[in-house]
Amino acid sequence: MNPRYSQICGLEEAKLAIQCLLVDPDMKGILIKGPPGVGKSVLMRSLVDAGVIDEPVHLPINADDSQIFGALDVEEAISTGKVVLSDSILSRADGHILMIDDLNLFDTKLMHTMMGQIIQGRVLVERDGISVSYPCSTKVVATVNTKEMALERTISDLFDICVTILPSTDREFRAEVIRTNLSEPPVDCNRVAETVANAKGRLKDVEITDDIVDAVTGVCTGLEIEGVRGDIAAVRTSRALAALDGRKIISREDVSTAVVLALTHRRIPKEEDPEEEDDKPKIESGFDKYLSMNHDREEKEQTSEPDIPVNLNQKASDEREMTFSEEISADIGEMFEAIDLADEIWKEAYNDPFLKRKMMKGEDRNGRYISSRNYNNGTIAIDATIRSSAPYQKRRGSQGRMDIRKQDLREKICVSDPKCMFLFMVDVSGSLVAKGRIRYVKAAIMAMLSDHYVRRDTVGIMTFNQGHIGIVKEPSRSVGDVHQKLVDMKVGKGTPLSEAIKFADDYLRVYRKRNPYDICFVIMMTDSDATTSMFKGADPYEEALAVACTVNHTDVGWTLIETSGLIDKTKGRRMAEALGARYILLDDVKMDLHAYEEWTIL
């Protein structure tokens, strides 16, 4: 049984954002971002049970363009010869909510076209000899799984407002969630449906003053927001918030909340240079810049004295009261500082800490079928071919069978999401045991694998020392046997680093031929202290550098995790540079050694 609206703990910002979307008829979309299990989809289902919205129309993850927009009605075309548009997801969504789970996994071009037509309120279909348009008045509620690939900014900009839900680490809150969900569901006596209905009727009476417009445009200009969608969405959200609160006047708090909802997914946080951080004052945010411009302009209007720098965190020396727009900017500046801090915590806890996952899609005959095109020796798209030939069947005089000709043939356009293979290349030489680092290496691998298991990546493990170089776990999506592999990991003397790098490179070349659509990464965990060379008389470390330079040109992402723990890390850094790899210290890898030791005991 789904929890009732009143049983959902927290998510107040998401609840408020959805109500704003429902109140304003001109607002078309909301993004709800967060990891799995924080209540993104549950919140929408609770609104159905509470009577706030009708049952939404869901967009399946494998829907193609003909299902979304409509295509030729084949049965009608064959029987009558008439060109008629078939039923579509957008036609069914007219007058209802369109629910999209995991928006970031859909084809970008397809979603851009769909959202553009939803915003226009009319769908235009021109395909298979059809040129038809039909109305589509719908609102989109889309969720984004932040543990999957990133959403293109061009898509997120098409949504009026955005909310990010972070998982709570507060034990009391989590306990409250458990107790609430396990208790007997109460009679849902919330008045959210009534509140939304009343706000809809009150919306036209809410006044949008010049001060409101000036405050919003000033903030958007200070933040260097591209386009004006953010400005319009912020004003509309401010008006909706006032209507929900039963007021005809937009308050300062309304604008502050609205700007955060409307601009969070549109702004690009400025990155500070850590080397210059101590040598210069803190960089002004967009809000501070806007405040500075307003202060400077007003000072110039009031006096001819030279400009005096303004401290934005204190009142002016003459105790001048801040204008409405300045107060809004100050409030929002503090809000975005909190959001940036939350984003940093989020990235540290949930993003892949070793390398940036490539966000790309590629054509693949074994991928997801999304559209069709004229035949060119590809895989024949039966449905598209039938639709292409259907209008001509009556003219061709076909009797009880399809008369399909060469010009009717269509082939599939298939795309596949990136499949990543991570090869853990672990140095298990005697130096790790001597320095007491081997258990930290094993714990770090378990911590990394837990994230890759959630992403459903392919993972393999290779170990090397003087006595053995080889794969101890073939790449697969199953990580159930990894723990035992780590426990049984044999440690030996010597570090044949150059031979190990060459072995990994040769292995990956064969793997990529068998799996041409996989994106391959190597996470090499070593102290870079090579002791054994492939050729007699060669310096082991210099030989390893030379081999590393040869594999640097392959289409494989390398990451080197320094396991030595020594103060002098020159060898590791030089090796990473030769490999073209990202260089990370083992101590910086997030891991739970205590949890690993518990697994070992079990």
Side-chain angles (χ1 to χ4, degrees):
M1 180 181 293
N2 295 325
R4 295 182 181 274
Y5 185 83
S6 57
Q7 284 183 291
I8 297 179
C9 304
L11 307 187
E12 299 305 323
E13 187 180 36
K15 293 177 180 178
L16 188 61
I18 291 176
Q19 290 180 40
C20 290
L21 177 73
L22 298 175
V23 166
D24 193 325
D26 295 323
M27 294 177 69
K28 297 297 183 181
I30 177 176
L31 275 177
I32 305 177
K33 298 182 178 181
V38 294
K40 304 186 296 294
S41 301
V42 171
L43 178 58
M44 287 304 300
R45 291 195 293 269
S46 70
L47 290 171
V48 177
D49 296 336
V52 181
I53 62 173
D54 297 329
E55 186 68 35
V57 175
H58 289 267
L59 182 64
I61 189 71
N62 59 345
D64 59 25
D65 54 352
S66 63
Q67 294 171 304
I68 295 174
F69 305 106
L72 179 70
D73 189 325
V74 176
E75 184 177 354
E76 184 72 17
I78 293 176
S79 59
T80 66
K82 294 181 179 179
V83 177
V84 180
L85 190 69
S86 64
D87 188 28
S88 67
I89 293 174
L90 289 183
S91 65
R92 295 197 300 272
D94 186 27
H96 300 278
I97 299 290
L98 179 62
M99 184 73 188
I100 308 176
D101 282 321
D102 296 329
L103 176 68
N104 46 327
L105 300 184
F106 284 81
D107 180 70
T108 301
K109 292 182 179 179
L110 192 61
M111 290 300 98
H112 195 281
T113 302
M114 186 193 74
M115 286 303 303
Q117 299 201 5
I118 288 175
I119 292 172
Q120 294 176 6
R122 196 162 194 85
V123 179
L124 174 63
V125 180
E126 292 185 330
R127 56 176 298 167
D128 302 329
I130 300 175
S131 180
V132 179
S133 66
Y134 57 88
C136 181
S137 176
T138 185
K139 295 177 181 290
V140 179
V141 177
T143 66
V144 173
N145 182 355
T146 49
K147 298 205 75 175
E148 291 288 350
M149 62 175 59
L151 182 66
E152 293 284 347
R153 291 185 67 246
T154 54
I155 300 298
S156 60
D157 184 50
L158 297 174
F159 287 80
D160 297 281
I161 48 183
C162 175
V163 177
T164 299
I165 303 175
L166 295 175
S168 175
T169 56
D170 181 52
R171 292 182 61 182
E172 293 184 3
F173 173 78
R174 296 171 78 96
E176 180 187 356
V177 172
I178 294 173
R179 285 192 292 268
T180 303
N181 281 269
L182 294 181
S183 62
E184 189 68 24
V187 176
D188 213 344
C189 57
N190 70 80
R191 298 182 178 179
V192 62
E194 181 181 348
T195 300
V196 170
N198 292 338
K200 285 181 179 179
R202 194 182 297 116
L203 186 68
K204 62 180 182 299
D205 298 325
V206 178
E207 182 183 5
I208 301 175
T209 63
D210 291 340
D211 284 341
I212 300 298
V213 175
D214 180 60
V216 170
T217 56
V219 170
C220 291
T221 303
L223 283 173
E224 300 178 1
I225 300 295
E226 297 178 354
V228 295
R229 285 196 182 102
D231 307 55
I232 297 172
V235 172
R236 285 174 174 166
T237 306
S238 301
R239 182 177 61 176
L241 288 169
L244 284 167
D245 199 38
R247 291 179 280 104
K248 296 182 179 180
I249 298 176
I250 299 174
S251 69
R252 165 181 167 180
E253 289 74 19
D254 293 335
V255 180
S256 299
T257 303
V259 168
V260 172
L261 292 174
L263 302 185
T264 298
H265 56 305
R266 292 183 168 97
R267 62 189 285 264
I268 303 177
K270 300 273 191 308
E271 294 186 2
E272 298 182 3
D273 187 348
E275 296 182 357
E276 300 179 4
E277 206 170 49
D278 299 330
D279 301 333
K280 64 179 182 180
K282 186 176 179 181
I283 299 174
E284 291 181 326
S285 68
F287 303 104
D288 296 334
K289 292 178 181 178
Y290 172 62
L291 283 175
S292 297
M293 289 188 293
N294 280 353
H295 277 288
D296 293 344
R297 183 174 63 251
E298 292 182 8
E299 289 291 338
K300 289 178 180 179
E301 291 175 356
Q302 295 174 8
T303 178
S304 59
E305 295 179 3
D307 293 340
I308 302 175
V310 179
N311 186 336
L312 301 177
N313 296 319
Q314 300 178 1
K315 290 185 178 180
S317 58
D318 59 354
E319 296 296 326
R320 178 184 60 82
E321 292 187 2
M322 297 176 69
T323 65
F324 179 79
S325 61
E326 292 171 351
E327 291 175 347
I328 296 295
S329 298
D331 288 347
I332 299 170
E334 294 177 0
M335 291 182 185
F336 272 120
E337 285 178 7
I339 289 174
D340 290 341
L341 178 59
D343 285 344
E344 289 179 13
I345 296 173
W346 174 268
K347 290 175 183 177
E348 180 180 349
Y350 288 95
N351 281 6
D352 192 332
F354 312 110
L355 38 87
K356 187 174 182 180
R357 192 181 182 89
K358 292 185 179 179
M359 308 306 177
M360 57 176 288
K361 290 179 181 286
E363 287 200 19
D364 178 3
R365 292 188 179 186
N366 298 319
R368 188 171 69 252
Y369 172 34
I370 63 166
S371 187
S372 63
R373 60 191 170 201
N374 290 336
Y375 183 72
N376 186 24
N377 297 321
T379 302
I380 293 180
I382 302 298
D383 57 336
T385 299
I386 293 175
R387 286 196 302 269
S388 176
S389 64
Y392 308 104
Q393 295 305 302
K394 192 172 183 179
R395 186 186 308 170
R396 293 172 182 174
S398 56
Q399 299 294 329
R401 61 182 180 85
M402 292 289 294
D403 183 0
I404 297 178
R405 302 180 183 179
K406 185 176 180 179
Q407 62 267 28
D408 301 328
L409 294 178
R410 299 291 183 270
E411 68 179 24
K412 292 181 178 180
I413 299 177
C414 300
V415 297
S416 61
D417 295 326
K419 298 175 183 178
C420 296
M421 193 282 279
F422 291 84
L423 179 65
F424 286 84
M425 182 178 168
V426 186
D427 177 359
V428 289
S429 61
S431 59
L432 282 175
V433 176
K435 298 169 185 175
R437 306 284 287 178
I438 188 65
R439 62 184 187 136
Y440 290 98
V441 170
K442 293 179 179 181
I445 293 174
M446 290 303 303
M448 290 184 276
L449 286 178
S450 64
D451 182 63
H452 295 309
Y453 178 72
V454 172
R455 295 177 183 269
R456 303 303 293 161
D457 292 324
T458 299
V459 175
I461 298 179
M462 166 193 164
T463 61
F464 63 95
N465 56 36
Q466 190 170 347
H468 171 79
I469 298 177
I471 303 294
V472 297
K473 180 191 179 301
E474 289 291 340
S476 71
R477 291 187 177 182
S478 173
V479 298
D481 61 340
V482 170
H483 173 247
Q484 192 60 43
K485 296 286 186 184
L486 294 177
V487 172
D488 297 338
M489 191 180 289
K490 302 298 183 182
V491 179
K493 296 181 180 179
T495 307
L497 190 55
S498 55
E499 189 175 355
I501 294 174
K502 186 177 185 306
F503 178 90
D505 184 48
D506 292 341
Y507 179 84
L508 289 171
R509 289 180 190 276
V510 175
Y511 180 89
R512 286 178 60 79
K513 287 181 180 179
R514 295 175 179 172
N515 305 273
Y517 299 107
D518 282 13
I519 304 169
C520 296
F521 302 97
V522 177
I523 300 177
M524 184 167 71
M525 308 181 75
T526 180
D527 58 6
S528 300
D529 188 14
T531 60
T532 305
S533 62
M534 292 187 293
F535 299 100
K536 187 176 180 179
D539 180 271
Y541 180 72
E542 294 299 329
E543 182 186 71
L545 286 177
V547 174
C549 289
T550 64
V551 305
N552 189 0
H553 302 288
T554 60
D555 190 18
V556 175
W558 287 74
T559 296
L560 191 152
I561 298 181
E562 173 69 69
T563 62
S564 68
L566 299 175
I567 296 177
D568 185 5
K569 298 180 174 58
T570 305
K571 284 188 174 181
R573 294 185 183 279
R574 287 185 64 196
M575 185 59 64
E577 183 178 352
L579 287 167
R582 183 177 179 184
Y583 179 77
I584 299 176
L585 301 180
L586 178 63
D587 296 334
D588 293 337
V589 178
K590 183 183 177 182
M591 55 186 165
D592 190 342
L593 181 60
H594 178 67
Y596 172 74
E597 290 175 340
E598 285 184 348
W599 292 332
T600 304
I601 294 172
L602 293 173

